[in-house]
Amino acid sequence: MEATWGNHKVSKLLASSFFLLGFGSNDLFQSRPKSEADVAVLYATLVSNYSAAITDLYGMGARKFGIISPGPVGCVPRVRLLNATGACNDGMNRLTMGLAAAFKSGLATTLSPTRLPGLTYSLADSFAGTRANFDNPQAVGFVNADSACCGSGRLGAEGECTRNATLCSDRDVYAFFDNVHPSQRAAELGAQALFVDSPIQITAPISFKELAHER
Ligand SMILES: *[C@@H]1O[C@H](CO)[C@@H](O)[C@H](O)[C@H]1NC(C)=O
Ligand SMILES: *[C@@H]1O[C@H](CO)[C@@H](O)[C@H](O)[C@H]1NC(C)=O
Ligand SMILES: *[C@@H]1O[C@H](CO)[C@@H](O)[C@H](O)[C@H]1NC(C)=O
C-alpha cells in the first residue's frame, strides 16, 4: 500500500479505519487458576499482553478500536457438559467477569491519551450483550440456548462438529452452532448490539457505529 500510495495516504487511511478486537475467551478456556494469587497473576499477564498488542497496532498507525471483552464462557455447551444439570459454570463466569473488569481498568491506564495521543476506543460488555440469550432465550427467538446445533452426545457437546455429527434442523433457533461457537443468528444479534447498541447499550462510551463514523 505504501509503495502505491505513499506513507502519508496510508497513515491517514489507517488512522480513520476501524479496528475490531476481541480478547480473552480462548485464554480462559486454557487456564485453571487454583488460588486468588493465581487469578491475580493471570489477569495481570493477560491484560498486559492485550495492552501490548494494542500498543503494537497503534505503532503501526491504527487509532480507532472497538474492543470486545470476553463473554460468558461458562455457558458454552462444552463447559455445561461438565455439570450433570447442564448449568452454566458460575466459577468460570466469575473468572471471566473479573478479567473483563481488570481489562477495563487496565485499558483505561495503557490507552490513556497522554500515553497514546489520538487513540480512541469503545469497549463492549459481552456479558450484557449475551445475557438475554441465556436468561430469556425464547424472547430473542432461541428454542435452545444450551446445546450445540452440530455435534453429538449430551448437549450435542460430547463430540465435535465433524462430518459425522448430527445437525439440528433449524440452526437459527440455536444460540450455539458447535460446542463453543455462537450460531450465525447469535452472532448477528451480537453484531447488532455492538454496532448500534440495540436493544440495550453494551458499548461504552459510544456504539461501534458512532466510533466508526467519528472523524
Ligand atoms: C502475549 O503472550 C504470548 C504467550 O505468552 C506471547 O507469545 C506473546 O509474545 C505475548 N504478546 C505480547 C504482545 O506481549
Ligand atoms: C452444577 O450446577 C448447579 C446449578 O448451578 C450447581 O448448584 C452445582 O454446584 C453444579 N455442580 C458442579 C459439580 O459444578
Ligand atoms: C465418520 O464415520 C466413519 C464411519 O463410521 C468413520 O470411519 C470416520 O472415522 C468418522 N469420521 C469422523 C471425523 O469422526
Side-chain angles (χ1 to χ4, degrees):
M1 285 165 77
E2 283 185 349
T4 312
W5 292 330
N7 273 349
H8 184 67
K9 217 164 179 179
V10 171
S11 302
K12 270 180 72 175
L13 180 66
L14 288 178
S16 63
S17 297
F18 179 78
F19 292 81
L20 181 64
L21 309 176
F23 287 109
S25 306
N26 284 354
D27 296 318
L28 290 170
F29 280 131
Q30 286 160 17
S31 47
R32 294 274 175 281
K34 289 181 182 55
S35 65
E36 287 298 313
D38 285 357
V39 170
V41 170
L42 175 69
Y43 288 169
T45 310
L46 292 178
V47 171
S48 106
N49 196 300
Y50 305 152
S51 296
I54 296 169
T55 305
D56 281 353
L57 291 169
Y58 178 91
M60 291 186 267
R63 291 295 178 270
K64 272 199 239 182
F65 298 93
I67 305 174
I68 308 174
S69 66
V73 296
C75 291
V76 306
R78 199 168 79 189
V79 173
R80 288 177 187 261
L81 192 58
L82 308 174
N83 189 303
T85 69
C88 295
N89 185 312
D90 293 337
M92 197 147 177
N93 280 344
R94 269 196 304 276
L95 183 69
T96 314
M97 273 191 253
L99 176 62
F103 191 36
K104 186 175 178 180
S105 63
L107 289 190
T109 310
T110 5
L111 307 186
S112 74
T114 44
R115 233 188 120 248
L116 303 173
L119 182 148
T120 51
Y121 73 97
S122 205
L123 187 61
D125 177 351
S126 300
F127 269 90
T130 51
R131 192 162 293 137
N133 294 359
F134 302 118
D135 289 354
N136 197 355
Q138 281 80 11
V140 288
F142 294 126
V143 167
N144 191 313
D146 61 7
S147 310
C149 165
C150 176
S152 60
R154 198 173 145 248
L155 299 175
E158 286 173 301
E160 299 298 320
C161 176
T162 60
R163 255 171 218 285
N164 293 354
T166 318
L167 197 61
C168 66
S169 59
D170 182 2
R171 66 187 77 174
D172 284 346
V173 300
Y174 276 67
F176 290 98
F177 186 69
D178 67 8
N179 60 19
V180 283
H181 300 105
S183 64
Q184 181 170 310
R185 180 67 190 140
E188 210 166 60
L189 290 171
Q192 248 160 38
L194 293 173
F195 197 61
V196 294
D197 266 341
S198 168
I200 50 162
Q201 187 174 1
I202 64 162
T203 62
I206 56 176
S207 75
F208 286 1
K209 183 180 187 178
E210 290 170 293
L211 181 62
H213 292 164
E214 199 173 68
R215 301 230 141 238

